């Protein structure tokens, strides 16, 4: 006689201790080698990615409008040393959200370089993002993208509304800064939304 399966819509208890120290949460499984040398599933429950776990933390932060201690611990486990530098950028108010007339958004983040980075919550033209996030896959985000994502979830960023044309110009600057890794002139030239 099989017990009833828990609802997949229950709230998630986000425990980020290493899988070897705990069983998978109800409704999730980990990949493991199978007898043929390929990768198989340890059970028939759905997979969850680190990105999905991060999304769940940010959704919780957005719903509450604040970071609590549990959120900080979870984000620290996911992002490591990047979290502290991202929070420092937010504390110094070096992150700005730019929104087009049609609602598209990007972020302008002043990093350690003279010129700011034009980035998104999931891409930045900085050297760290290109080498440590994309190529080496050692980190989930750079300080610029993480600061943008945390600030956006908290709703704490200064927002500037720009025309669609200006937004396209900023995107072109972002593309240019990808080539020169962070060297691009930037001035939002819009009006504050708050």
């Amino acid at each position: 006689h099989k017990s009833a399966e828990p609802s997949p819509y229950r709230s998630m208890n986000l425990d980020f201790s290493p899988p070897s120290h705990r069983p998978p949460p109800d409704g999730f499984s980990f990949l493991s080698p199978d007898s043929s040398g390929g990768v198989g599933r340890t059970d028939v429950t759905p997979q969850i990615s680190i990105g999905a776990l991060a999304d769940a933390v940010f959704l919780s932060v957005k719903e509450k409008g604040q970071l609590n201690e549990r959120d900080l611990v979870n984000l620290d486990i996911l992002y490591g040393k990047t979290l502290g530098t991202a929070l420092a950028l937010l504390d110094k108010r070096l992150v700005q959200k730019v929104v087009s007339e049609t609602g598209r958004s990007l972020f302008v983040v002043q990093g350690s370089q003279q010129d700011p980075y034009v980035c998104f919550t999931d891409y930045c033209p900085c050297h760290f993002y290109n080498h440590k996030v994309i190529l080496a896959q050692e980190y989930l985000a750079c300080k610029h993208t993480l600061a943008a994502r945390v600030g956006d979830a908290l709703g704490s960023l200064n927002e500037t509304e720009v025309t669609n044309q200006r937004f396209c110009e900023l995107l072109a600057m972002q593309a240019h800064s990808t080539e020169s890794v962070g060297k691009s002139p930037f001035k939002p030239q819009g009006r504050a939304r708050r």
Side-chain angles (χ1 to χ4, degrees):
H1 178 9
K2 202 173 183 184
S3 64
E5 293 286 324
S7 167
Y9 301 105
R10 66 178 167 68
S11 63
M12 290 176 47
N13 179 14
L14 299 177
D15 178 6
F16 294 103
S17 59
S20 61
H21 295 78
R22 63 178 168 79
D26 292 339
F28 301 106
S29 66
F30 299 100
L31 294 178
S32 63
D34 65 19
S35 58
S36 67
V39 175
R41 297 175 64 150
T42 59
D43 60 24
V44 293
T45 55
Q47 292 291 319
I48 187 164
S49 68
I50 296 296
L53 292 172
D55 290 346
V57 174
F58 285 110
L59 179 62
S60 171
V61 169
K62 188 171 187 161
E63 288 172 350
K64 294 180 299 210
Q66 65 181 9
L67 280 169
N68 62 29
E69 187 175 341
R70 182 180 176 153
D71 298 326
L72 287 170
V73 168
N74 288 334
L75 290 172
D76 184 54
I77 291 168
L78 286 167
Y79 294 99
K81 69 177 185 175
T82 310
L83 180 62
T85 55
L87 294 176
L89 289 172
L90 290 171
D91 285 343
K92 294 175 184 173
R93 306 200 78 35
L94 298 175
V95 183
Q96 179 182 12
K97 184 174 184 177
V98 178
V99 182
S100 74
E101 297 166 320
T102 54
R104 294 186 177 122
S105 61
L106 56 79
F107 300 86
V108 178
V109 184
Q110 183 66 52
S112 53
Q113 300 295 320
Q114 184 177 12
D115 294 318
Y117 292 101
V118 177
C119 63
F120 303 94
T121 57
D122 60 355
Y123 180 75
C124 181
C126 76
H127 179 81
F128 185 94
Y129 192 92
N130 286 294
H131 291 278
K132 298 291 187 178
V133 178
I134 295 175
L135 295 175
Q137 297 181 3
E138 295 173 9
Y139 292 87
L140 295 176
C142 66
K143 64 184 178 183
H144 312 111
T145 58
L146 185 55
R149 192 159 189 202
V150 170
D152 197 38
L154 289 170
S156 64
L157 301 177
N158 290 327
E159 291 186 16
T160 300
E161 188 174 304
V162 297
T163 64
N164 288 334
Q165 179 179 344
R166 182 63 182 148
F167 191 84
C168 289
E169 291 169 1
L170 294 173
L171 288 176
M173 286 181 197
Q174 188 271 345
H176 170 74
S177 68
T178 300
E179 296 167 10
S180 59
V181 187
K183 299 292 183 184
S184 64
F186 175 79
K187 296 213 184 303
Q189 298 175 351
R191 59 184 172 86
R193 292 183 77 184
R194 289 190 173 168

